Amino acid sequence: MKNTLLRSGLTILLIVALTALAAPATATDYTIDTNHSSAIFKIKHYGVSYFYGAFKTVTGTVQYDSDNPAASSIDLTIDAESVDSRVPNRDDHIKSPDFLNAKQFPAITFKSKSATASGDTIDITGTLTLHGVSKDITVTATKIGEGEHPRSKKAMVGFHSEFTVKRSDFDMNFMIGPLGDEVTFILSLETAAQ
Amino acid sequence: MLFDNIVLPSVVIPMIAALVALVLCGLLRRWQQRRASGSVVRPQGGAAALALAFASALVAMNGWPRMPPVEATQRLFVFVLLALALSYFVRKLSDGKQLATTFVLALPVLAFLLESQIEHRWSTLASVIWILSLAAVGVLLAWGWSTSIVRASVETAPKGSDPLWAAAIRPTLLGLAALCLGLSGSALLGQLMGALAAATATVEAWQLLKKEQVWLKADALVWTVASGGLIANTFFYAELAPIPAALLVLGFTLLARNRSGAPALFRLACLLPILVAAGLVIQGELQQARGGDDYYDYGALETPQAAPFESTVRS
């Protein structure tokens, strides 16, 4: 009787321990640190060079699980009004209906749907909404590093991604020729655990 | 670049589209006259020329609009073509009813064009006030245009009046308006106003050469949707300042009084609001020192003077 009870107890303990080991580790929620993140774009100018500009305001959240990077997700928003091309009049032009139409479409967003991972490289498929047009794209993000913030002691993780879209796919057709159709976005995100 | 990106889509293509519209409407009118049906609506070509010029210019510059349209400019494309279709029904109405119809039709057009303002920036009360006020502005534009074209083409011109004046005034005002919009942050919207100027010039030249009336009062519907929509888009989505915007509307309203028989000084005074608007916009741009031989080149090839390098080597 005593042996049976002991065996049952051990079996239950074993099942509990195995279940705990097999359960997926929960992904941590991170917030994008706007002041330490960059959203840069490049576009061909007159077919001879690349012009680089940036957006000052990138916000959003990242869910990341270092043990299971494929469970990662991202919800990112870029403020279209925050475009910075180093010339105020050009900023106005980029924000105008000729290009971003920032007053009508103030946000550029990317919401992930699924991800696959290989080491620190994560292929994220999601919906990019730009200029009021939503399209599914797949971007490759690389985890740059993980650590702890020296002062707040919060967990931190950073990612880098570079992807190219055709602006004509997002109904931004004005001046294709003098300005390239392809726009490359370079995102470098620093995030801190919530 | 100048020809391919500016002259071709905003001058040449709209002129060809307007000419095609005039020829087709002329052929259709002749065919209908031959059939001698008294009740048919005979197309005159003015509205079709404006609408097709606008649509073709937009397609040439920005590609085919997505359907259903999302962006305000794409929606304007649809509304201008709808206005063309409706103008053939509106022309049967009396003058007062035409203007009342313009007001009623302006309400949904403005609501769709300014949807993002209504959703994100304005309260319900502010939205109602803006839409009603802008619809009233639309009626002013329609009144100015319809009165002007009917006076120019129907009234007996007084002795010594210059028929070229009536033909020149509308394209000139539209050209100046195009300059204002183009210098207010959006080349696209400015060029679309330029397309209206090119189409209007084509219609006026056709009237002069063929000595036939092409404009109808109902054409004011297409004109109002296209020009009013462009001014509203540039004001709300680009950088057109309130005073030049108001002066543009005033200038187009004064078209009603600006006819070939009026004294020269009065006619010139009617041009003043749009000239002042253009002056204000140009002055504003000069103050911002947007340089370069090409306005949208932002001072290309003008190397800024570097500050003199101070040697760190102490003598």
Side-chain angles (χ1 to χ4, degrees):
Chain A
M1 179 71 180
K2 220 176 186 179
N3 277 347
T4 317
L5 271 175
L6 193 61
R7 221 176 294 143
S8 304
L10 281 173
T11 312
I12 290 167
L13 270 176
L14 192 64
I15 290 169
V16 169
L18 285 173
T19 311
L21 281 174
T26 46
T28 309
D29 291 334
Y30 294 87
T31 303
I32 293 171
D33 179 348
T34 303
N35 292 340
H36 294 98
S37 297
S38 305
I40 298 164
F41 64 90
K42 71 170 182 179
I43 186 166
K44 213 176 251 185
H45 187 238
Y46 289 148
V48 299
S49 67
Y50 283 112
F51 172 78
Y52 283 78
F55 292 93
K56 288 178 189 164
T57 311
V58 192
T59 55
T61 54
V62 172
Q63 278 196 322
Y64 178 70
D65 177 2
S66 54
D67 294 328
N68 183 19
S72 302
S73 67
I74 182 165
D75 186 344
L76 176 134
T77 300
I78 295 172
D79 179 6
E81 289 270 9
S82 74
V83 71
D84 179 11
S85 69
R86 305 180 303 282
V87 178
N89 289 323
R90 183 167 50 206
D91 294 347
D92 289 344
H93 192 205
I94 297 171
K95 285 186 272 184
S96 80
D98 293 10
F99 300 104
L100 292 175
N101 203 349
K103 284 180 182 156
Q104 195 180 352
F105 308 114
I108 300 165
T109 61
F110 180 74
K111 288 182 199 302
S112 66
K113 288 178 170 175
S114 62
T116 55
S118 167
D120 285 340
T121 304
I122 312 169
D123 289 327
I124 307 166
T125 300
T127 306
L128 175 68
T129 302
L130 171 64
H131 195 241
V133 178
S134 296
K135 276 201 175 296
D136 281 359
I137 61 165
T138 299
V139 305
T140 300
T142 307
K143 187 188 83 179
I144 302 301
E146 277 183 272
E148 189 184 79
H149 194 279
R151 285 194 297 279
S152 71
K153 304 296 178 196
K154 283 182 176 176
M156 297 166 68
V157 62
F159 302 93
H160 185 272
S161 178
E162 193 170 324
F163 58 94
T164 301
V165 295
K166 281 189 173 180
R167 63 187 177 102
S168 57
D169 287 343
F170 294 86
D171 283 358
M172 279 195 283
N173 297 309
F174 193 64
M175 286 281 171
I176 287 179
L179 287 174
D181 188 9
E182 292 189 339
V183 182
T184 298
F185 285 91
I186 301 158
L187 297 177
S188 184
L189 305 178
E190 183 173 308
T191 69
Q194 290 174 357
Chain B
M1 185 201 152
L2 184 72
F3 183 81
D4 287 354
N5 295 107
I6 298 172
V7 180
L8 184 67
S10 57
V11 180
V12 178
I13 288 176
M15 275 185 153
I16 292 170
L19 204 58
V20 168
L22 289 169
V23 169
L24 287 178
C25 287
L27 291 173
L28 195 59
R29 196 168 60 243
R30 244 176 261 165
W31 178 72
Q32 285 187 333
Q33 277 167 345
R34 234 180 282 139
R35 287 171 60 109
S37 169
S39 61
V40 292
V41 177
R42 295 198 172 93
Q44 301 295 314
L50 274 181
L52 293 184
F54 180 90
S56 60
L58 182 58
V59 171
M61 282 183 260
N62 224 25
W64 283 98
R66 178 176 294 270
M67 292 295 157
V70 182
E71 199 186 17
T73 313
Q74 295 177 343
R75 287 180 176 175
L76 198 53
F77 172 91
V78 175
F79 288 136
V80 167
L81 293 179
L82 281 176
L84 170 64
L86 286 172
S87 68
Y88 287 100
F89 301 101
V90 169
R91 69 166 65 172
K92 292 176 180 170
L93 303 174
S94 64
D95 295 359
K97 282 181 180 167
Q98 281 190 16
L99 291 179
T101 308
T102 304
F103 181 81
V104 172
L105 292 174
L107 299 174
V109 168
L110 288 163
F112 275 108
L113 289 185
L114 304 175
E115 190 187 10
S116 66
Q117 303 290 111
I118 294 168
E119 276 183 11
H120 303 297
R121 288 170 199 258
W122 294 338
S123 65
T124 310
L125 180 65
S127 301
V128 171
I129 292 170
W130 267 115
I131 299 294
L132 288 175
S133 311
L134 292 172
V137 169
V139 172
L140 275 180
L141 286 174
W143 175 74
W145 183 267
S146 60
T147 309
S148 145
I149 56 175
V150 168
R151 279 188 174 150
S153 51
V154 173
E155 272 190 8
T156 312
K159 214 175 177 182
S161 67
D162 183 3
L164 275 174
W165 173 261
I169 192 72
R170 279 179 289 273
T172 306
L173 289 181
L174 282 163
L176 284 169
L179 180 72
C180 288
L181 302 197
L183 293 180
S184 298
S186 173
L188 172 68
L189 298 176
Q191 284 179 248
L192 286 172
M193 189 63 97
L196 290 183
T200 306
T202 309
V203 175
E204 300 290 355
W206 178 278
Q207 285 200 140
L208 272 181
L209 295 172
K210 303 273 285 184
K211 296 193 182 349
E212 65 178 28
Q213 180 191 336
V214 179
W215 293 120
L216 290 179
K217 275 190 164 187
D219 297 348
L221 191 63
V222 174
W223 143 257
T224 304
V225 172
S227 65
L230 287 174
I231 294 171
N233 266 11
T234 319
F235 180 71
F236 288 105
Y237 298 128
E239 303 295 325
L240 182 62
I243 291 175
L247 286 171
L248 286 182
V249 172
L250 178 64
F252 286 129
T253 307
L254 285 177
L255 271 173
R257 313 300 308 160
N258 200 328
R259 48 196 169 129
S260 57
L265 202 63
F266 179 78
R267 286 186 280 163
L268 287 174
C270 290
L271 284 176
L272 215 56
I274 292 190
L275 283 173
V276 173
L280 285 174
V281 172
I282 291 167
Q283 190 209 14
E285 291 308 316
L286 288 177
Q287 278 179 350
Q288 287 184 50
R290 199 194 305 238
D293 56 352
D294 181 345
Y295 172 75
Y296 284 104
D297 237 359
Y298 315 108
L301 308 182
E302 288 181 1
T303 311
Q305 288 292 311
F309 182 73
E310 288 179 19
S311 172
T312 53
V313 180
R314 289 176 189 277
S315 55

